[in-house]
Amino acid sequence: MRNLIFTLGIIGSFALPGAADAATLVVLPENPIQGDPIMISVEGATATNMSFGDKSLRVFMYKGRPTALYGFDINKKAGVYKVSATLSDGTMLQRQLLVDERMKPTLSFTIPAKLGGTTTASQKVLVSTLASENATLIGLKTGDKAFWSEPFSYPLPDPIVTDAYGYDRDTGAATVTHKGADFRAKEGTPVESINRGVVRRIQNTRDYGKTVIVDHGLGLMSMYMHLSSIWVNEGELVKRGQYVGLSGQTGYALAPHLHLTIRQDDVSIDPETFLKLFK
């Protein structure tokens, strides 16, 4: 399907009658795959509404353009989707976007001894506790505006990804999709907020360990997991680059590192692709 994208590019891009010639609908990344964040913006005009498929999106200004973010779920069917924007004069811009399949390798993974080791019993406990912990992360309060205006940055000064987003971890009786990015970080490394936002939740759970969740507004959340200590409080407004805690190996972790999850409207998206959108 990659070759198809290269040949066709965006499958159709047009404006309904009445559009200003200068108005352009821009979508990044140009060749998205399952699990990617998708940034939609309008050049040369003001937009009042944007949508991906049948989902209406929240519009904000970024670099002087009306912009919206959509999280394409890693389990959502690949294919062609309609992206549209309604301009202030009522004109509608539309384009057809091909979202390709993500290749999801499966790797063997162990459960640490502190969580019972790689046994059938601990695998069942892992599946049930992950489900319950994930349920608590759905529907968190979010701001009705973007709390940030600067580009997003990495949570560590020397970011090295050791485990990427989007592969399956097979522990034997259970398979768990890795829906974040793991960064190399020695125990006690300061972890930075990737942008300005409000700390919505602090928690310490069996699988995710000590966790800080920052709301950046408009349904966009960053989650910092397996921390050894936490330096912020719920309800606190943090700045980009502010330390939220120290890296560690609490919860389901085999060694010290930082796990970063980014969610848009409760959909976990690829953190590396997301951060590249703001370069």
Side-chain angles (χ1 to χ4, degrees):
M1 292 186 73
R2 284 293 186 193
N3 292 334
L4 180 61
I5 296 176
F6 180 78
T7 302
L8 299 180
I10 299 297
I11 306 175
S13 180
F14 60 93
L16 300 185
D21 292 339
T24 304
L25 192 58
V26 179
V27 181
L28 295 174
E30 293 181 352
N31 299 331
I33 60 177
Q34 293 165 310
D36 274 353
I38 296 176
M39 177 184 282
I40 305 164
S41 59
V42 173
E43 288 184 348
T46 300
T48 55
N49 295 288
M50 294 185 185
S51 63
F52 185 99
D54 58 0
K55 181 176 176 59
S56 180
L57 307 179
R58 301 174 176 98
V59 179
F60 59 94
M61 296 300 293
Y62 180 64
K63 292 187 175 180
R65 301 181 193 170
T67 303
L69 291 170
Y70 176 77
F72 197 98
D73 195 290
I74 193 170
N75 295 315
K76 187 179 177 70
K77 184 178 179 181
V80 177
Y81 291 85
K82 182 178 71 174
V83 179
S84 62
T86 303
L87 306 185
S88 56
D89 65 357
T91 297
M92 180 176 288
L93 301 180
Q94 292 184 351
R95 67 191 302 173
Q96 300 294 317
L97 179 69
L98 178 60
V99 180
D100 204 355
E101 295 181 6
R102 177 184 290 267
M103 301 304 295
K104 256 198 332 181
T106 299
L107 302 178
S108 296
F109 216 73
T110 59
I111 298 175
K114 63 183 176 181
L115 297 184
T118 308
T119 66
T120 301
S122 63
Q123 290 165 8
K124 291 179 179 178
V125 172
L126 176 65
V127 171
S128 64
T129 54
L130 276 174
S132 61
E133 289 179 26
N134 283 327
T136 67
L137 304 179
I138 299 298
L140 295 178
K141 180 181 178 180
T142 185
D144 58 5
K145 65 177 181 179
F147 294 124
W148 52 276
S149 57
E150 300 177 278
F152 285 76
S153 60
Y154 281 88
L156 298 167
D158 184 23
I160 298 175
V161 174
T162 56
D163 261 342
Y165 169 97
Y167 73 95
D168 286 337
R169 291 175 167 178
D170 182 6
T171 62
T175 300
V176 179
T177 301
H178 192 236
K179 292 186 177 181
D182 290 349
F183 291 85
R184 181 178 298 168
K186 295 179 180 179
E187 184 92 20
T189 302
V191 174
E192 304 173 4
S193 176
I194 61 174
N195 216 325
R196 188 172 183 267
V198 175
V199 178
R200 289 298 179 202
R201 178 168 294 177
I202 292 172
Q203 61 186 32
N204 186 4
T205 63
R206 177 188 183 276
D207 300 319
Y208 293 140
K210 293 182 179 179
T211 300
V212 173
I213 302 173
V214 178
D215 168 31
H216 303 286
L218 304 180
L220 180 63
M221 306 271 178
S222 58
M223 304 180 180
Y224 312 82
M225 299 177 175
H226 309 306
L227 302 176
S228 60
S229 63
I230 293 172
W231 288 4
V232 291
N233 300 301
E234 287 189 359
E236 181 178 347
L237 179 66
V238 295
K239 299 178 181 179
R240 185 183 76 156
Q242 180 176 335
Y243 294 153
V244 297
L246 300 178
S247 64
Q249 53 184 322
T250 56
Y252 182 10
L254 301 176
H257 68 281
L258 170 68
H259 174 100
L260 174 67
T261 286
I262 297 178
R263 287 189 174 184
Q264 177 64 52
D265 294 326
D266 292 326
V267 174
S268 295
I269 51 180
D270 188 334
E272 291 184 271
T273 302
F274 176 83
L275 293 171
K276 288 175 183 177
L277 291 177
F278 297 90
K279 289 297 185 182

